[in-house]
Amino acid sequence: MYTLYSMQRSGNSYKVRLALAQLGVDYRLVEVDILKGESRTPEFLAKNPSGQIPLLEVTPGRFIAESNAILWYVAVGTPLAPDDRIDRAETLQWMFFEQHSLEPNIGAAYFWLALIKGGRELQSHALEDWMENGYRALGVMETHLTQRPFFVADHFTIADIALYAYTHVADQCDFDLSRFPAIGAWLARIAEEPGYIAMTWQPELASA
Ligand SMILES: N[C@@H](CCC(=O)N[C@@H](CS)C(=O)NCC(=O)O)C(=O)O
């Protein structure tokens, strides 16, 4: 059985919880509080030298880091991970976009504005860039979704899961999603997928 090191309010961790729920895969969950430095202890760094969650132990002592790499690992061979060559490359394209254009802006804004007390004041110098670049990423997504129900192959895939995690909480960190009707419809479509779980959902927590 997999062991997932995750934090409840981490969007990157939620991607993996959402994919595992969609796939109906059981796993052991270990909650890691990054705000208390629990991902930077010697024990955790021995598992993932980057000191970050999510982290998936796939077999005893074998770990995969990076949310989008974990998504590929758990989803390969299922409809969530397209097999066709072009669809697969497009899935990767959107997952790289997520890491490069969306997560560093909306993910950062979410972390500092929604999770950290006093974060707005601490990061006031960065906020303008996050908003400008985050809105640009949302604009790209909106244009794509105007013509299609999902990002790739006209069905729900790990590209959607990767992009959904921080987009669906963007309104908690100053982004006005009402400006993006196609994104709004896509968010609603995902929430209706069979096996959908909210970010707040948790299986029984295992002890660390
Ligand atoms: N690119 C990584 C980013 C992971 C990441 O930023 N994790 C954050 C939580 S969302 C973390 O563990 N931060 C704690 C730290 O860096 O000390 C991914 O997609 O998994």
Side-chain angles (χ1 to χ4, degrees):
M1 186 190 274
Y2 298 142
T3 299
L4 176 64
Y5 296 83
S6 152
M7 188 173 88
Q8 195 69 40
R9 296 190 71 192
S10 145
N12 287 313
S13 300
Y14 172 50
K15 293 175 194 172
V16 182
R17 298 197 303 270
L18 180 54
L20 291 173
Q22 295 285 324
L23 295 166
V25 172
D26 284 336
Y27 60 99
R28 181 172 169 267
L29 184 73
V30 178
E31 179 74 7
V32 177
D33 189 343
I34 61 171
L35 305 180
K36 292 186 181 152
E38 289 177 3
S39 65
R40 299 283 167 165
T41 63
E43 294 74 25
F44 192 88
L45 289 169
K47 298 180 175 75
N48 180 13
S50 298
Q52 294 189 322
I53 43 104
L55 182 70
L56 189 70
E57 186 170 19
V58 293
T59 56
R62 194 88 195 259
F63 297 93
I64 302 179
E66 293 295 331
S67 56
N68 291 349
I70 299 172
L71 289 181
W72 271 106
Y73 180 84
V74 299
V76 83
T78 78
L80 284 183
D83 199 26
D84 171 84
R85 188 174 178 185
I86 288 196
D87 290 344
R88 210 168 48 211
E90 286 183 354
T91 306
L92 280 168
Q93 173 197 313
W94 283 108
M95 292 170 98
F96 284 119
F97 170 87
E98 187 269 338
Q99 287 283 289
H100 184 73
S101 302
L102 189 122
E103 195 257 12
N105 298 302
I106 301 181
Y110 172 71
F111 181 80
W112 288 101
L113 301 188
L115 302 189
I116 302 290
K117 202 163 171 237
R120 183 181 297 277
E121 292 68 38
L122 284 170
Q123 295 295 328
S124 56
H125 59 287
L127 197 50
E128 199 178 316
D129 277 354
W130 291 340
M131 297 308 291
E132 185 183 335
N133 294 329
Y135 270 124
R136 187 176 306 128
L138 291 170
V140 172
M141 292 166 63
E142 177 73 11
T143 302
H144 190 74
L145 288 170
T146 303
Q147 306 293 334
R148 303 161 187 85
F150 295 104
F151 274 89
V152 180
D154 284 343
H155 70 266
F156 183 56
T157 70
I158 50 177
D160 299 290
I161 293 180
L163 288 160
Y164 180 80
Y166 285 105
T167 306
H168 92 295
V169 292
D171 58 352
Q172 295 177 35
C173 51
D174 289 7
F175 289 93
D176 176 11
L177 288 178
S178 69
R179 289 162 51 178
F180 303 98
I183 290 180
W186 167 77
L187 293 175
R189 224 172 276 130
I190 291 179
E192 280 166 14
E193 281 290 313
Y196 174 84
I197 53 160
M199 195 162 170
T200 47
W201 181 90
Q202 46 183 227
E204 206 174 313
L205 291 180
S207 55

